[in-house]
Amino acid sequence: MSLRQLLAVAAVLSSALAAPSQQPFSLPNRIDPLKHLSAISPFFLPTEKPTPLPPRCSLTRVSLLVRHSSIMGNDDEYEQTMGPFIHKIGNLSTDDLPDSGEWSFLREWETPIVEERLEELSGRGKKDAKKLGKYIRKQYDDLFPSKKRKSVDEARKGKKDKKGKDTTYKVWTASSDRDIESAKAYILGSFPRHQSGDDGHGDGEVVQLVKVPNKARDWDRSLTPHKACDAFEKQSSLEPASKWLDIYAPKVRARLAGTIPGLAEKLDDQDILAMQMLCGYETIAQGFSPFCHVFTDEEWLDFEYYMDVRFHYMMGYGNDLSPYLGMPWVKTAKHLLGGKDSDSDSTSDDEANSLQPLPEPKLPPNASHSQLLHPSFTHRESPAFVSVFLNLYNSSTSAHPASHPPSLDHRVPNRDWRTSHLVSFLGHVALERFHCKGDGDYVRAVVNGKHEVMHGCEDGLDGSCRWKTFHDWVDERALRWGDWESVCDVK
Ligand SMILES: *[C@@H]1O[C@H](CO)[C@@H](O)[C@H](O)[C@H]1NC(C)=O
Ligand SMILES: *[C@@H]1O[C@H](CO)[C@@H](O)[C@H](O)[C@H]1NC(C)=O
Ligand SMILES: *[C@@H]1O[C@H](CO)[C@@H](O)[C@H](O)[C@H]1NC(C)=O
C-alpha cells in the first residue's frame, strides 16, 4: 500500500470516528434539498393541496403570473460560481480526488451543466410546464373555453361575435426562448390538441400565444418591467449575500476537512455554493445529482437562506424598486379581473366603460379581453416584485416579516420571506376574483396553491379582500409606486 493510499484509508477512518452518525455513502437528509433551492428548485407545490375557496363561493376571473420552467443553468450563476468550480475539479488529477466514501464520485464526475446549454429550457422543464397546464386546467376548468370543436358555422362567425365569446383566448409570454417554450408546454397541457396546435402555439382560433417583446417599453412592462428599467441591477445584492456566505460556507469546509482533507483545502466558499447549485441543475438536466447527498440538512437550509438574503435585496422588500416594478402587472390584473361580464358591484370609471361593447381585442395584456383566465409567463423577478406590491409575507404582527432586513450572522428559521415557495421554476402568483352567493365579490392572492394575505387588503371572507376594497387599495398603492420613469432613469 502506498503512502497516499494509507493516508486515504486513515482519512476515511478518522472521518468515520469524527462523525459516527453519518453513513458512509450519503448523509441521511430528513429534508428534500430540491425543495430548498429557491430559484433553482424544480417546480413543487409547498402545500399538499391548494387552499380551498370559502364555502358557497366560486371563481369568476383569475390572473396568473408564472415564472418559466427549469433551465440547464443560469448564465450569471455559471459564470460566477458553478463554472469556476467545474474547471477547478477538471484541472485536478484523479489522485487529488477522494478514492472512497461519499465523495469518490468526483473521480468519474462529468457534469451535464455546460456553457453551450445555459438558459435553455430543460426536458424536465417542458414536462413540468405541461403538468402545470394540466393542474391549472383542473383548478380553473370553469374559466377555460369549451374543449368542444366549433361547428363550421360558428367558426365562420369567429372573431366577429359581439359578445366576444369566440375571440381568441390568449396566453402571454415574455420573449426569451425559455419563456416561450414554457408557455407552449403549458398550452399543450391545458388545451386539447385541436386548440393547442401541435407545438403549443395555439390554433390561432381559440388559443393564441402572444409574445411580448422583452424591452418594448410602452407595452410589455407588465411582464418584464425590470428589463426596461435602467436602474435595476442584480450585482449589489451579492454583497449582503456574501456576508452570510462568509458565515456558513467556512463551517461546511471545516466539516469536509475532516472527511476529505486533501480536497477540502482546495475548496473556497464559492465552491460550496457551486456544489449546492449543481444539486439542482444536475437533477434538472439528468434526473439525479451526487451533490444532493453530500450536505447536511442544516447546510441546505443555510444555502436556502443565502438565496433568501440575496433575493430580499435584489427583488424583494429590500429593493426600493420592487413595488414600482410589481405595479404594472397588478394594475393590469385588476383591469382584467374587473372585466365586463362580471356582476360588478362597483361603479368606478373603468368598470363603467367596460360595460360597453368590447372593442376589437388588442394584443397587449392591458387591453380589453373577454377571457376569464389570463396567464402570462415571465422571469423570476416578476412574482417577487408582485408579492411586494401586494404586501404579501409582510404582516405587521409577525416576528420576522419579509420587509425586515435579514440577519447576516445567523439564519432566521421563522422568517416569512421564503423564496423556495415563491420563485421556484414555474413559481406563480394568482389573483383570484370570486363571488359568494348572497355575499358579494372578493379577491385573494394565491402563491403556488397557497392563499397569502394581502396585508392592508384583508376585509373579506377568510382573509381575502372585498373587490371594492381591492380596487381602491391597488389604485392607492399605484399612486405611491406609480412613477416608473422617475425611479428607473439612471441619472
Ligand atoms: C482548467 O482550468 C481552465 C481555467 O479555469 C479552464 O479553462 C479549463 O477548462 C480547465 N480544464 C478542465 C478540464 O476543466
Ligand atoms: C395599457 O398600457 C399602455 C402603455 O403602458 C397605456 O398607454 C394604456 O393606457 C394602457 N391601457 C389601459 C386600458 O390601461
Ligand atoms: C411592510 O410592512 C411595514 C409594517 O407594517 C410597512 O410599513 C411597509 O410599508 C410594508 N411594505 C410595503 C411595500 O407595503
Side-chain angles (χ1 to χ4, degrees):
M1 202 184 262
S2 74
L3 183 61
R4 193 191 306 263
Q5 282 167 326
L6 206 62
L7 286 174
V9 170
V12 169
L13 282 176
S14 75
S15 78
L17 289 173
S21 66
Q22 286 166 8
Q23 288 159 11
F25 292 103
S26 70
L27 296 176
N29 289 113
R30 301 233 303 273
I31 62 168
D32 178 357
L34 296 172
K35 295 184 175 172
H36 297 272
L37 300 179
S38 179
I40 304 174
S41 283
F43 180 58
F44 70 102
L45 277 188
T47 50
E48 265 167 45
K49 273 192 288 178
T51 318
L53 285 176
R56 297 191 306 126
C57 301
S58 55
L59 292 167
T60 47
R61 285 169 182 271
V62 171
S63 279
L64 192 62
L65 184 68
V66 192
R67 184 189 176 211
H68 61 75
S69 197
S70 58
I71 52 174
M72 299 293 292
N74 164 285
D75 278 334
D76 294 337
E77 286 161 354
Y78 184 86
E79 193 185 315
Q80 291 157 5
T81 309
M82 292 185 289
F85 171 77
I86 292 168
H87 294 142
K88 182 181 280 185
I89 298 298
N91 278 314
L92 292 177
S93 78
T94 311
D95 287 344
D96 290 330
L97 297 168
D99 64 357
S100 66
E102 63 195 13
W103 288 90
S104 57
F105 73 87
L106 279 175
R107 292 189 161 215
E108 316 266 281
W109 177 56
E110 260 179 66
T111 187
I113 305 310
V114 291
E115 201 156 3
E116 301 72 51
R117 299 195 62 190
L118 297 175
E119 304 291 342
E120 194 180 292
L121 193 70
S122 66
R124 173 177 181 148
K126 269 188 204 155
K127 274 193 205 139
D128 285 353
K130 202 167 166 188
K131 262 193 257 163
L132 178 79
K134 290 198 171 126
Y135 161 81
I136 293 292
R137 164 68 79 160
K138 198 163 147 233
Q139 287 304 113
Y140 299 128
D141 197 27
D142 289 346
L143 307 182
F144 276 83
S146 161
K147 283 186 179 174
K148 282 206 207 106
R149 283 173 197 278
K150 278 195 219 171
S151 72
V152 178
D153 239 25
E154 284 166 330
R156 208 176 292 133
K157 272 193 266 162
K159 290 174 189 168
K160 283 180 202 116
D161 186 338
K162 273 237 170 69
K163 284 188 193 122
K165 275 205 183 105
D166 291 306
T167 48
T168 336
Y169 176 104
K170 296 177 195 62
V171 175
W172 288 274
T173 174
S175 60
S176 307
D177 279 349
R178 55 194 181 283
D179 297 307
I180 296 172
E181 293 305 312
S182 301
K184 280 161 56 177
Y186 162 87
I187 289 175
L188 286 173
S190 58
F191 291 96
R193 194 49 64 100
H194 65 273
Q195 293 174 342
S196 68
D198 285 343
D199 68 344
H201 250 112
D203 61 350
E205 192 75 38
V206 179
V207 181
Q208 182 189 4
L209 179 64
V210 183
K211 293 170 204 163
V212 181
N214 274 342
K215 283 180 185 163
R217 268 198 155 213
D218 53 344
W219 196 90
D220 66 316
R221 285 175 180 175
S222 54
L223 293 187
T224 46
H226 63 287
K227 288 188 190 276
C229 180
D230 295 335
F232 178 74
E233 48 81 31
K234 305 175 185 177
Q235 200 62 23
S236 59
S237 58
L238 284 172
E239 203 179 299
S242 299
K243 291 213 168 106
W244 168 244
L245 186 67
D246 286 349
I247 303 287
Y248 99 82
K251 285 194 265 176
V252 184
R253 290 194 290 112
R255 176 178 68 82
L256 297 185
T259 334
I260 43 168
L263 180 59
E265 71 180 22
K266 297 190 176 69
L267 299 177
D268 59 26
D269 293 350
Q270 284 294 321
D271 294 326
I272 303 300
L273 204 53
M275 293 188 278
Q276 296 189 299
M277 289 175 168
L278 282 166
C279 158
Y281 287 119
E282 290 192 342
T283 304
I284 286 161
Q286 65 187 11
F288 69 94
S289 168
F291 292 108
C292 297
H293 308 287
V294 291
F295 296 99
T296 66
D297 283 355
E298 288 295 304
E299 289 161 357
W300 289 116
L301 297 176
D302 285 346
F303 172 82
E304 184 175 41
Y305 191 62
Y306 170 91
M307 299 295 266
D308 286 354
V309 170
R310 168 115 207 254
F311 291 151
H312 170 84
Y313 289 102
M314 182 174 122
M315 58 198 199
Y317 286 83
N319 183 343
D320 290 342
L321 290 173
S322 295
Y324 289 91
L325 297 175
M327 183 277 292
W329 182 82
V330 177
K331 237 182 120 186
T332 299
K334 188 197 92 172
H335 162 82
L336 294 169
L337 293 175
K340 60 133 198 162
D341 52 348
S342 58
D343 46 344
S344 166
D345 53 9
S346 160
T347 52
S348 77
D349 283 348
D350 59 349
E351 290 198 355
N353 288 340
S354 67
L355 290 174
Q356 286 154 22
L358 278 180
E360 271 298 292
K362 292 184 201 118
L363 291 182
N366 73 345
S368 292
H369 300 281
S370 58
Q371 67 194 69
L372 303 178
L373 170 68
H374 303 89
S376 25
F377 284 80
T378 179
H379 299 266
R380 69 177 74 173
E381 289 84 357
S382 290
F385 294 149
V386 160
S387 75
V388 175
F389 186 85
L390 293 175
N391 211 15
L392 309 185
Y393 316 114
N394 192 29
S395 162
S396 54
T397 56
S398 160
H400 298 285
S403 60
H404 280 188
S407 145
L408 300 181
D409 58 10
H410 66 280
R411 192 176 81 223
V412 181
N414 55 344
R415 66 193 182 279
D416 296 339
W417 179 246
R418 277 181 197 276
T419 57
S420 296
H421 294 182
L422 175 64
V423 298
S424 67
F425 289 112
L426 293 175
H428 54 271
V429 179
L431 277 174
E432 301 181 341
R433 179 172 177 178
F434 57 98
H435 180 79
C436 305
K437 276 219 174 70
D439 205 7
D441 277 57
Y442 301 90
V443 182
R444 64 176 192 169
V446 175
V447 181
N448 293 340
K450 184 160 178 273
H451 172 212
E452 300 290 353
V453 172
M454 300 183 277
H455 294 284
C457 186
E458 48 192 307
D459 62 350
L461 291 176
D462 290 3
S464 67
C465 184
R466 289 186 176 278
W467 170 250
K468 181 78 175 69
T469 308
F470 176 76
H471 198 279
D472 298 344
W473 185 72
V474 168
D475 283 350
E476 178 216 316
R477 288 172 80 82
L479 277 180
R480 257 164 93 185
W481 292 296
D483 189 7
W484 230 79
E485 275 83 2
S486 74
V487 293
C488 283
D489 282 351
V490 176
K491 275 144 211 145

